[in-house]
Amino acid sequence: MKNFLLLFLVFTTTLAKAQLPVWSTDIAPILYNSCTSCHHEGGLAPFSLLSYQDAFDNRFDISNDVTSKKMPPWPPDAAYRRFAHERILSTVDINKINQWIVGGSPSGDTSLAPAKPTYSNASALGTPDLSLRIPNFTVPSSQVNDLYTCFVIPTNLLQTEFITGIEVLPGNSSIVHHVLVYQDTTGQAAALDNATPEAGYTSFGGIGITGQPILVAGWVPGSQPSYLPPNMGIKIYANSDLVVQIHYPAGSANKLDSTRINFKLSTGSLRTVSLAPILNHQTSLVNGPLFIPADSIVTFEEYFQLPNLADITVLSVAPHAHLICKSWLSYVVTPVNDTIPLVKINDWDFHWQGSYGFRNLIRIPKQSKLFGFATYDNTAHNHHNPSSPPQDVSRGESTTDEMMLIYFAYTLYQTGDENIVTDTTTLVDITDTTGTTAINEPLNTIVSTPQFYDLVPNPSTNETQLSYFLPEQTLASLQVFDMSGKLMDEVKLPSALGINGLKYSVAKLPSGQYLFHFTAAGVKRNKTFVVAH
């Protein structure tokens, strides 16, 4: 009996060790896919994670940051809206990292580790049609805080063209924190640049010109080259200037940068994509002015109703504020009272702002109502507050001022736009071990009834994506009827609160038109769908 128990203990101990995650085959793939675009030699992050020793030496920082969701940086609340090219670790991967650390952080067989990723400034666009570089710029030795420098580069284009692809290549990835690219057709930015003896001029927030500058693109660490959907482009005007605003964080003094912007261009009659702050603190603020007294927390609302002209197609959304902003929420209410979630950010951080592209382009009907909400914390409890003690904050472009803008990339709607997919990768599972999705606040305070969204693609020969929103965890179901009223299928749907999705196979349905009948919490919604084999 004793021998049996001894053998059993040896067996279970060996099995437990065998199941422990190891760096080579379990942890390295996670770090290479999600972390090393910043965490490599010469990268923006303070340490590399390319080797086993790197990961071992920093294992406790890794655990703290991934468990708290601080890293990888991805501000949008994925329970509210999923976006293209997300930087999110799954619960499985986070648990695997923590199990690896608790188990002693074994290396495993290092020969089985994937090949280390390499990072260079080679263009992923092939041969760019237009390549522009900022002047060589050395961050001043006196710089101890964040620096926002605008570099003005003439395009020298002889005719107006369309940007169809864009790529930002930091000249020094250890100091380039983020980049915003604007277009200026007024000459104001060039005048500001010419008024300073050094290359570029300093401007926090916007680029310091009157009127609304034209935003062209943005870049944050981990960003990949971006492409416009087929037959779409952003106009770049003849003889315009590009204004490249670069954020150099504290610790960048005496370091050299030479960031480059590459473009793919096209002429002809492309569909024009515009980037504009449709919701903004000048024309759409409901409870303005944008003023936050010292020692106060204030929430502001913005509202804009689309005119009764045409539907629009939205490609991306990009909130923008400064340092004391704490959270964002934006959604659309259609003329038939459907609510379309756009973006929700629970913990705004100016240093990690970005533009968030939709996985499928979104159709917004004419006369829809656009809403935006932002909360500002001007108290000593806000560790981003630039003033101690807190001071009154008003609208403006300086470091201690505030802004409230939501940029939309959009074009006029054409039939089928909602079928355009910008990211086909599998979504990371964000549910916890209980099968529920973590959300910081009750979603029924935002949308009080279940929502059933357009089926994508429609028509389809094989499968379509069902998307729906539940303001609370509740039972949901789908019934499929043909046009004679015959029940063809019935499906029990996932019931987690927030955005839910399910791929539904239509291969078994004969060609024809169908009614998809969605039911949740007593709410019933219908969508028509066409199967075309």
Side-chain angles (χ1 to χ4, degrees):
M1 184 67 177
K2 289 182 179 179
N3 289 337
F4 172 78
L5 289 175
L6 180 60
L7 288 172
F8 177 76
L9 289 173
V10 170
F11 172 76
T12 54
T13 301
T14 303
L15 182 63
K17 287 183 177 180
Q19 292 175 337
L20 276 177
V22 297
W23 174 83
S24 58
T25 55
D26 297 300
I27 306 304
I30 299 173
L31 301 181
Y32 290 175
N33 288 333
S34 303
C35 305
T36 56
S37 60
C38 293
H39 288 270
H40 63 269
E41 293 298 331
L44 180 67
F47 52 84
S48 173
L49 289 175
L50 284 171
S51 72
Y52 165 70
Q53 195 62 47
D54 292 335
F56 183 85
D57 291 345
N58 295 283
R59 62 194 184 281
F60 297 116
D61 286 334
I62 295 171
S63 175
N64 290 335
D65 287 347
V66 301
T67 302
S68 67
K69 308 296 178 68
K70 178 181 177 181
M71 291 289 162
W74 184 252
D77 185 342
Y80 186 67
R81 161 68 73 179
R82 305 305 295 265
F83 290 100
H85 313 300
E86 294 174 329
R87 297 189 302 274
I88 297 176
L89 287 185
S90 69
T91 303
V92 171
D93 283 345
I94 294 172
N95 290 340
K96 192 178 293 183
I97 289 171
N98 288 324
Q99 290 164 6
W100 173 67
I101 294 170
V102 170
S105 307
S107 66
D109 183 350
T110 56
S111 68
L112 300 178
K116 290 182 181 180
T118 58
Y119 300 95
S120 71
N121 276 352
S123 175
L125 296 182
T127 302
D129 297 312
L130 178 66
S131 184
L132 302 174
R133 187 175 70 86
I134 70 169
N136 287 339
F137 177 74
T138 300
V139 178
S141 58
S142 59
Q143 189 66 35
V144 295
N145 297 314
D146 294 298
L147 178 66
Y148 296 81
T149 301
C150 296
F151 302 95
V152 182
I153 313 172
T155 62
N156 296 320
L157 290 174
L158 300 179
Q159 62 179 347
T160 297
E161 301 200 35
F162 287 92
I163 299 170
T164 58
I166 188 166
E167 170 186 55
V168 177
L169 296 176
N172 186 340
S173 57
S174 69
I175 63 172
V176 176
H177 188 282
H178 74 253
V179 179
L180 294 175
V181 183
Y182 296 88
Q183 182 179 183
D184 181 27
T185 60
T186 69
Q188 295 179 68
L192 290 171
D193 193 11
N194 292 334
T196 62
E198 69 279 357
Y201 63 94
T202 300
S203 181
F204 180 94
I207 59 175
I209 69 174
T210 59
Q212 188 60 57
I214 304 170
L215 182 65
V216 172
W219 176 93
V220 294
S223 294
Q224 301 298 313
S226 59
Y227 298 89
L228 277 294
N231 200 37
M232 296 186 189
I234 299 170
K235 275 187 179 179
I236 183 167
Y237 292 94
N239 298 313
S240 60
D241 293 324
L242 280 189
V243 185
V244 182
Q245 184 195 63
I246 301 180
H247 170 202
Y248 299 108
S252 303
N254 299 314
K255 295 182 179 179
L256 175 68
D257 180 37
S258 56
T259 290
R260 181 177 292 277
I261 318 293
N262 292 326
F263 298 92
K264 279 293 188 182
L265 302 177
S266 178
T267 57
S269 57
L270 273 66
R271 296 172 61 187
T272 299
V273 173
S274 300
L275 286 82
I278 298 177
L279 292 173
N280 63 81
H281 53 241
Q282 292 178 305
T283 64
S284 53
L285 196 58
V286 173
N287 56 335
L290 190 63
F291 175 76
I292 308 99
D295 301 310
S296 69
I297 299 175
V298 184
T299 298
F300 291 93
E301 176 184 352
E302 292 177 338
Y303 165 83
F304 178 78
Q305 184 169 14
L306 295 178
N308 189 23
L309 297 175
D311 297 354
I312 65 171
T313 297
V314 178
L315 289 72
S316 65
V317 62
H320 173 72
H322 289 179
L323 295 174
I324 66 168
C325 182
K326 290 298 293 181
S327 63
W328 278 98
L329 171 68
S330 182
Y331 57 83
V332 175
V333 178
T334 70
V336 295
N337 286 325
D338 280 339
T339 301
I340 305 173
L342 294 178
V343 65
K344 185 171 183 277
I345 297 175
N346 302 313
D347 189 14
W348 169 260
D349 186 339
F350 176 82
H351 302 304
W352 290 112
Q353 62 181 308
S355 178
Y356 309 110
F358 298 109
R359 291 174 65 89
N360 287 85
L361 304 193
I362 293 179
R363 175 187 182 182
I364 298 182
K366 58 187 177 183
Q367 291 191 295
S368 291
K369 300 171 183 177
L370 279 61
F371 292 91
F373 300 87
T375 297
Y376 297 81
D377 183 352
N378 192 13
T379 71
H381 298 292
N382 183 355
H383 65 277
H384 291 302
N385 199 323
S387 301
S388 181
Q391 304 295 312
D392 292 349
V393 175
S394 302
R395 184 186 82 187
E397 298 227 5
S398 68
T399 306
T400 54
D401 295 332
E402 263 304 341
M403 305 181 83
M404 185 179 174
L405 307 171
I406 304 181
Y407 284 87
F408 293 81
Y410 67 95
T411 188
L412 294 180
Y413 173 77
Q414 289 186 6
T415 302
D417 279 355
E418 60 268 52
N419 294 339
I420 297 175
V421 179
T422 64
D423 182 6
T424 59
T425 58
T426 302
L427 285 170
V428 169
D429 184 7
I430 59 171
T431 55
D432 62 22
T433 54
T434 67
T436 60
T437 301
I439 292 181
N440 288 357
E441 63 181 68
L443 286 180
N444 56 19
T445 64
I446 300 166
V447 184
S448 59
T449 58
Q451 307 290 311
F452 185 40
Y453 301 118
D454 288 337
L455 303 155
V456 178
N458 184 6
S460 175
T461 60
N462 184 29
E463 66 179 14
T464 188
Q465 176 72 37
L466 306 176
S467 298
Y468 54 97
F469 180 92
L470 299 177
E472 58 187 0
Q473 189 167 342
T474 186
L475 297 178
S477 63
L478 176 77
Q479 293 176 308
V480 180
F481 296 91
D482 67 14
M483 298 316 290
S484 70
K486 179 182 177 182
L487 178 64
M488 304 295 291
D489 196 10
E490 191 165 10
V491 180
K492 182 180 178 181
L493 298 174
S495 58
L497 75 166
I499 287 283
N500 287 268
L502 178 73
K503 288 190 179 297
Y504 178 80
S505 174
V506 299
K508 60 191 174 187
L509 298 175
S511 296
Q513 187 170 348
Y514 294 86
L515 184 71
F516 279 45
H517 180 72
F518 168 83
T519 303
V523 173
K524 299 178 179 180
R525 305 218 175 214
N526 296 320
K527 298 288 183 183
T528 57
F529 183 81
V530 174
V531 177
H533 293 307

